């Protein structure tokens, strides 16, 4: 019997991830983004960067807890889309909102902690995005690659803090993201705890 061909799902996942950006382009061209479209675009791009970041972090726990191994094949793509939306978020801030006025941008970075934290998070995402392809895993070695990509945890924390400091008044939405991130990090900490305890007991018995 001929092997049955699998239906290609990856292109549809790609289009779904690209959908929010396409909607913003459509909304901007058709005047659907409200009285301040630049602010709407900035906010939505930042929101989607954080959502994709958390979604990428949720894939491994979903496989371990629920057995949803199918999500692993899309994890790299989702992580790259998190960087894509974060980069667009920064690009709109620098090029459209401030028209490359570097002195004003620098003052913002110094005076506003949420911008400082957001900039730091994006700069940390750059090496993760660059080393995302499989060829970079082979070049760096698996252990070094995994160690580098653990930077995604402080990046996610910084992104949530950035959002929390940005909204100031109504913090319900960033608190929801903070709870989700807390659960994802707690699952990883709980999983790592027995291994750390085993290593500790092994070294004490050998001594």
């Amino acid at each position: 019997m001929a092997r049955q061909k699998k239906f290609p799902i990856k292109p549809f996942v790609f289009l779904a991830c690209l959908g929010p950006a396409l909607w913003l382009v459509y909304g901007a061209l058709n005047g659907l983004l409200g009285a301040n479209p630049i602010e709407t675009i900035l906010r939505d791009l930042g929101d989607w960067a954080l959502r994709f970041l958390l979604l990428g972090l949720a894939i491994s726990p979903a496989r371990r807890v629920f057995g949803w191994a199918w999500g692993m094949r899309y994890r790299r793509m989702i992580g790259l889309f998190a960087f894509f939306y974060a980069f667009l978020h920064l690009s709109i801030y620098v090029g459209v909102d401030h028209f490359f006025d570097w002195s004003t941008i620098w003052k913002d970075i110094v005076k506003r902690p949420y911008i400082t934290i957001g900039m730091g998070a994006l700069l940390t995402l750059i090496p993760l995005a660059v080393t995302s392809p499989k060829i970079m895993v082979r070049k760096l070695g698996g252990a070094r690659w995994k160690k580098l990509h653990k930077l995604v945890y402080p990046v996610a924390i910084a992104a949530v803090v950035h959002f929390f400091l940005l909204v100031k008044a109504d913090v319900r939405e960033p608190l929801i993201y903070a709870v989700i991130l807390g659960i994802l990090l707690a699952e990883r900490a709980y999983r790592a705890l027995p291994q750390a305890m085993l290593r500790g007991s092994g070294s004490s018995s050998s001594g």
Side-chain angles (χ1 to χ4, degrees):
M1 285 182 66
R3 184 177 296 179
Q4 189 175 8
K5 291 184 178 181
K6 292 183 178 180
F7 187 76
I9 299 176
K10 208 164 189 177
F12 293 94
V13 176
F14 180 88
L15 288 175
C17 293
L18 191 61
L22 296 178
W23 162 250
L24 286 174
V25 173
Y26 176 81
L29 294 176
N30 292 276
L32 303 176
L33 301 182
N36 192 340
I38 295 176
E39 182 181 347
T40 301
I41 292 171
L42 266 175
R43 184 190 66 240
D44 284 6
L45 288 173
D47 287 349
W48 281 106
L50 180 53
R51 288 165 188 164
F52 279 112
L53 197 58
L54 294 178
L55 181 59
L57 287 175
I59 289 175
S60 290
R63 181 198 61 183
R64 290 189 291 265
V65 176
F66 304 109
W68 296 347
W70 53 267
M72 295 298 293
R73 69 190 71 172
Y74 309 116
R75 185 172 61 172
R76 180 178 286 105
M77 180 193 299
I78 289 170
L80 287 172
F81 266 105
F83 173 75
F84 169 73
Y85 281 102
F87 181 77
L88 287 181
H89 179 66
L90 176 64
S91 299
I92 295 296
Y93 167 78
V94 171
V96 180
D97 194 28
H98 284 78
F99 296 102
F100 300 98
D101 185 351
W102 298 110
S103 61
T104 302
I105 292 170
W106 177 248
K107 288 177 183 177
D108 272 355
I109 295 172
V110 173
K111 292 183 178 180
R112 300 182 180 180
Y114 72 87
I115 294 181
T116 310
I117 294 170
M119 289 280 191
L122 177 60
L123 289 175
T124 309
L125 269 179
I126 292 174
L128 304 187
V130 170
T131 58
S132 181
K134 291 181 180 179
I135 189 172
M136 295 303 298
V137 181
R138 293 194 293 268
K139 285 186 176 182
L140 290 173
R144 290 176 62 191
W145 187 90
K146 287 181 179 179
K147 188 175 182 180
L148 173 65
H149 279 253
K150 285 182 179 180
L151 288 173
V152 70
Y153 305 137
V155 167
I157 294 171
V160 171
V161 173
H162 167 76
F163 189 19
F164 185 87
L165 295 177
L166 171 64
V167 298
K168 297 178 183 177
D170 188 0
V171 297
R172 286 175 295 179
E173 189 176 357
L175 280 178
I176 291 172
Y177 291 131
V179 170
I180 294 171
L181 178 59
I183 292 171
L184 296 176
L185 294 180
E187 188 275 338
R188 283 171 166 83
Y190 176 78
R191 183 174 54 90
L193 186 60
Q195 298 177 7
M197 292 175 65
L198 284 174
R199 286 196 298 267
S201 61
S203 60
S204 61
S205 61
S206 62

